[in-house]
Amino acid sequence: MVNYYEHQNLIAQNLITFIRLKGYSKLSFSKLTGISRPTLDQILKGDSPNQTTYNTQISRINEALNLKEDFFLKTQPLTVASPVVTYAFSDHGVEAKRSMQAKELLDGLDNILDIYSMYMK
């Protein structure tokens, strides 16, 4: 098994490029791979605290997308400008109080903001 943990920054850059070029949002990519959004954010920042978990997560991404084990270890060709990814977090525990309609609308807005942040210069 490859030790991805030693290459977090390269993998983060290549994963951001891959997500952008394939047209995924962070939410859709998270659902596709089964990796939570907060964990995906850590991976995209190159800031995973646990080596074993990180290696498992990158392996899961490769398996979900049917990619070779070393896919994200190779610099990906970039056909658009590199993004400056901006993150915003909130943990006020309001999820349980939102109506289903409000949750769906806010999830849609979150998805749009994720896509925008991936293409921001």
Side-chain angles (χ1 to χ4, degrees):
M1 181 175 184
V2 176
N3 186 2
Y4 300 111
Y5 190 78
E6 296 174 357
H7 307 281
Q8 286 189 68
N9 290 325
L10 175 63
I11 290 171
Q13 291 170 350
N14 289 335
L15 192 53
I16 289 169
T17 300
F18 181 86
I19 290 170
R20 288 178 60 202
L21 293 176
K22 296 294 184 180
Y24 293 114
S25 67
K26 287 190 277 184
L27 180 61
S28 65
F29 192 80
S30 173
K31 288 181 179 182
L32 176 69
T33 59
I35 294 174
S36 71
R37 278 289 309 285
T39 300
L40 181 59
D41 285 337
Q42 280 185 330
I43 293 169
L44 295 176
K45 288 190 288 183
D47 190 28
S48 183
N50 183 295
Q51 180 175 346
T52 303
T53 303
Y54 183 81
N55 287 334
T56 301
Q57 292 160 343
I58 301 304
S59 292
R60 181 184 293 171
I61 291 170
N62 288 335
E63 289 171 17
L65 301 171
N66 294 318
L67 300 173
K68 293 181 180 181
E69 187 177 70
D70 64 346
F71 184 83
F72 292 109
L73 296 175
K74 299 175 183 172
T75 301
Q76 301 298 308
L78 183 62
T79 59
V80 292
S82 296
V84 174
V85 180
T86 305
Y87 296 92
F89 298 96
S90 176
D91 187 24
H92 295 291
V94 295
E95 284 292 320
K97 298 177 186 175
R98 292 187 183 141
S99 71
M100 184 55 78
Q101 182 181 14
K103 183 173 178 353
E104 288 174 7
L105 290 171
L106 290 170
D107 285 347
L109 180 58
D110 189 40
N111 198 20
I112 290 168
L113 291 172
D114 283 343
I115 292 169
Y116 175 76
S117 72
M118 300 283 294
Y119 290 89
M120 230 172 66
K121 287 186 179 180

